[in-house]
Amino acid sequence: QVQLVESGGGLVQPGGSLRLSCAASGSGFSSYDMAWVRQTPGKVRVWVAGIRADGSTNYADSVKGRFSISRDNVRNTVYLQMNSLSPEDTAVYYCRAATPLLYFGQGTQVTVSS
């Protein structure tokens, strides 16, 4: 069983930045593929960015060049640095671990609005 706890969401103006964090329980974190997904009301969750156990990263086209995913295997934490935010980025952001079973955190709300 893996527990994931996200933090760092909030209200930000268009063009602003936020950094999300996701802390994972357990001792196997360094072997997990991690990802961030987001969801808006009435829609399915959409994959945003991923970082594999080997450190390689991938991004959805909608966030490429603006978002950056990273991980700290000592702190068992994955991060999502979000820059140049727009109202279209407003969503609940979830951390996902693939062990390879899939685990999700409880989510953190990101609202981009003036």
Side-chain angles (χ1 to χ4, degrees):
Q1 188 79 7
V2 177
Q3 292 185 328
L4 303 170
V5 179
E6 300 98 334
S7 61
L11 173 64
V12 63
Q13 293 187 341
S17 298
L18 280 176
R19 188 196 196 201
L20 306 183
S21 300
C22 171
S25 66
S27 60
F29 177 81
S30 63
S31 67
Y32 303 158
D33 292 340
M34 301 297 296
W36 288 93
V37 301
R38 65 188 181 186
Q39 186 174 25
T40 53
K43 296 189 177 181
V44 299
R45 292 181 182 178
V46 176
W47 176 85
V48 173
I51 184 166
R52 294 188 179 275
D54 66 5
S56 60
T57 59
N58 283 287
Y59 299 92
D61 287 344
S62 59
V63 306
K64 201 171 293 184
R66 301 187 298 121
F67 290 12
S68 178
I69 188 171
S70 61
R71 65 191 299 159
D72 184 335
N73 290 336
V74 174
R75 291 181 171 83
N76 283 9
T77 301
V78 62
Y79 305 97
L80 186 67
Q81 177 66 45
M82 305 186 295
N83 300 325
S84 302
L85 285 162
S86 72
E88 289 69 34
D89 297 313
T90 295
V92 178
Y93 284 72
Y94 298 88
C95 177
R96 187 188 77 187
T99 70
L101 294 177
L102 294 183
Y103 296 90
F104 291 88
Q106 83 288 349
T108 185
Q109 175 70 47
V110 172
T111 302
V112 185
S113 175
S114 56

